[in-house]
Amino acid sequence: MGSTGGSTRSAPDAAERVARRKPAGREADGCAEEAAALRAGLVRQIVAGGGLTDPAWRAAFEEVPRHLFVPYYYEAGDAAAAAVPPGSKTAGAAGTGEVGAAHGTVGYARLWRDDPHPLRRARWLAGAYADAPLATRVRDGELITSSSQPSLMARMLQALQVRDGDRVLEIGAGTGYNAALLAHRLGDSRVTTLDLDPEISEAARNHLAAAGFRPAVVTGDGARGCPLHAPYDRIIATCAVASIPSAWLGQCRPDALILTPLATGLIALRVADARHAEGHFLAIPAYFVPLRGSGPPPRVPTHGLPSRPLLDDSFRFLLNVAAGHMEPVEALALWEHEGRPGRERYGVTVRGERQWAWLDDPEGAYGWPLGPPGRLEPFRGLSPGAP
């Protein structure tokens, strides 16, 4: 997968690649040399874990400065307390101390680039290149948005199977870091990133400009996509959905790929046309905040279940994918009978107005409608040739 394209597609030209290696502001940020060393260490860690096998994506992670996209972020719990040196004053969301703890919510500490304390600045920079997700926006003690774990981002980008010349839509701009990686690989003109929150999209635009990237950054409803720059060859979402928005399929070229978090997994859908798509989940787990405006995810019941299966990630995935459409004890019986299947044995099919998740075979014995429970009736199987 990855770095080779068809004869009708063109890669970014040499001048654009050189320009991207020296983005405006990178050398003026005061910590470029140390950041480069930390970035190299992060890449080595991801490679050692089996990621970044595509040289083009490895080059993107080696060259795109993550710290420019997270000028501040938050640590929670014990890490929050450790982030504030003894004798420091807390200053709330605009300062360096705890956020929300005074109200009995989760305690967060902000680490930021311009902190006057050198130990906290060093902690901020090291955290920016840790293989860990970073909470970037917290409101009233609740996580609003985050920068994903880099190794997971690497796996998602490789699973996207981009080719030179592909046009990509990203749903969920976040900090802009993922869009920068895409723009490094494909060129600014081939990438559009979208977010519902104008503050988030504006911050992403500023971060991207500081790092020397200028893809299209659009404020809008992720469920509606972005028809302005369609059609797309790839759509990647960095927020979880309960079902596949029909607008995404309608904005794709035939044979496009959609990669999105769903039910604590990542579904890769191959698009046939504006009404049909199908694909399997990736084997890896993925936990993302829901697409904003889509409502909370369905409640996952566990009543009547023994504690041991609940410790197994593959069983918890089944509970999530069938939430609202299958009793927990039925899910346990299925999981045990089918040999405790992993995520990669599940898939999703979209046929017109109908969408369902399935185990092993879209027309097989086990299928569950996607969408809010209560709107759709539970079912187990589909008849061959069903519309």
Side-chain angles (χ1 to χ4, degrees), residues 221-362:
D221 183 354
R224 297 174 181 264
C226 182
L228 179 64
H229 299 136
Y232 303 102
D233 302 285
R234 300 290 185 268
I235 293 179
I236 181 171
T238 57
C239 45
V241 296
S243 59
I244 309 301
S246 59
W248 294 4
L249 272 67
Q251 292 170 27
C252 282
R253 288 192 175 100
D255 201 42
L257 190 69
I258 295 174
L259 182 68
T260 182
L262 191 155
T264 77
L266 291 166
I267 185 68
L269 291 171
R270 186 65 66 177
V271 177
D273 55 42
R275 292 175 56 82
H276 299 86
E278 190 168 275
H280 278 84
F281 282 89
L282 305 188
I284 57 177
Y287 299 87
F288 286 79
V289 295
L291 175 69
R292 296 187 70 186
S294 64
R299 188 178 65 86
V300 178
T302 58
H303 55 271
L305 292 175
S307 58
R308 180 170 294 180
L310 292 172
L311 300 176
D312 193 298
D313 177 73
S314 66
F315 179 61
R316 294 197 306 272
F317 174 74
L318 173 58
L319 288 178
N320 275 274
V321 83
H325 304 291
M326 195 174 197
E327 289 298 319
V329 291
E330 291 181 305
L332 178 58
L334 183 159
W335 179 70
E336 291 179 334
H337 181 266
E338 294 297 326
R340 303 183 177 186
R343 284 174 170 80
E344 67 278 7
R345 286 179 57 186
Y346 296 85
V348 165
T349 296
V350 179
R351 288 185 187 168
E353 300 302 316
R354 172 178 281 184
Q355 301 185 25
W356 68 95
W358 38 265
L359 175 65
D360 291 332
D361 182 351

Side-chain angles (χ1 to χ4, degrees), residues 206-225:
N206 291 337
H207 297 159
L208 284 157
F213 297 96
R214 287 176 174 78
V217 182
V218 178
T219 301
D221 183 354
R224 297 174 181 264

Side-chain angles (χ1 to χ4, degrees), residues 15 61 75 175 219 315:
F61 276 81
E75 290 187 334
T175 66
T219 301
F315 179 61

Side-chain angles (χ1 to χ4, degrees), residues 159-174:
L160 200 59
Q161 302 179 36
V162 297
R163 303 157 297 180
D164 292 339
D166 275 351
R167 187 176 296 277
V168 179
L169 171 64
E170 179 191 30
I171 306 296

